[in-house]
Amino acid sequence: MDNFQKDIDDRVNLTLSNRFELLLFRLGASEHDGKSELFGINVFKLREIVPMPDYTKPVGVRHPVLGMVNIRDQIIPVIDLPAVLGCRPSGGMNILLITEYARTVQAFAVESVENIVRLDWTQIHTAEKLVNGQYITSVARLDDDPTSNNLAMVIDVEQVLHDIVPTKHDLHATHNDLPQIDIKPGSVVIVAEDSKVARAMLEKGLQAMKLPALMHVTGKDAWLKIEELAAQAQQEGVHISEKIALVLTDLEMPEMDGFTLTRKIKNHSQLQSIPVIIHSSLSGSANEEHVRKVRADGYVAKFEINELSSVITRVMR
């Protein structure tokens, strides 16, 4: 298990080539079809992996939160991930995945951990139309064969946490006090975000700020729309700001990640003046350093809607 902890900080360098590492684990047999599927989570979300410890269940804690555990003097909620995903572990829940998400820490109980695989984001495909895929954000192809069934389901941590342990930053946060931001008539905000709950939150917040937005599930889809609008601006002889006011992107996305999308914008002579804000659950100094390296104009941790509005206001000046 120590191998899973080694050199995690060095893996941030994979973002320079649209690559990342996925931790693979199992939750047991599906209650839907009896199969034991592979699931995955981005290594960047992991703080550590530990054997299942004893936990306490305070009064009022409800399933699928199993209780609370003390890890290195920090009290962390333990979530029964097999129950959330509709699985039954035959060998019990033996491992805790301690994750850091949007400046919060939580533990997911799983049946077993398999290994870590290094993938290109082009091997990750959206799971928007997947049956019984409420908590699956994408599907990872684990080899280079496009017809292979060697797949892993990537967990939508944002949706799980929103439904199980919602915070003050969730969808239902008030937007009454958000400032209205003026942009050029006809221009739009391009949003790239693969999580349904995050897209819904962003859409609501941008509407409150009176910012028209075009939502995209993948970084590649957002890039294609940016290219389309750039071609229109060039044809009409107008500046790109007449078409695109701002790009707001997640980091983890199928087909093209947010680092790659930002680099493509900032390395393009026609597009480099477009403000780019990265809005991500991947926190930590390593990721924020790479935000600076790709020349993003701002970084906001999910779901800090007031902080997001402040950053948008700053970069739009």
Side-chain angles (χ1 to χ4, degrees), residues 28 47 57 70 91 99-100 125 143 175 190 229 231 264 270 274 279 287 303:
R47 176 178 285 192
K57 188 168 185 178
N70 188 331
T99 67
E100 185 173 353
H125 303 281
D143 53 38
H175 295 80
I190 300 292
L229 293 175
K264 289 174 78 71
Q270 184 188 3
I274 299 173
H279 180 248
N287 285 297
F303 290 115

Side-chain angles (χ1 to χ4, degrees), residues 137-148:
T137 187
S138 53
V139 178
R141 193 182 71 246
L142 302 180
D143 53 38
D144 295 328
D145 181 358
T147 64
S148 170

Side-chain angles (χ1 to χ4, degrees), residues 213-231:
L214 298 178
M215 313 297 289
H216 303 84
V217 177
T218 75
K220 181 179 178 181
D221 287 344
W223 175 247
L224 291 175
K225 174 53 71 172
I226 291 168
E227 286 189 310
E228 177 188 328
L229 293 175

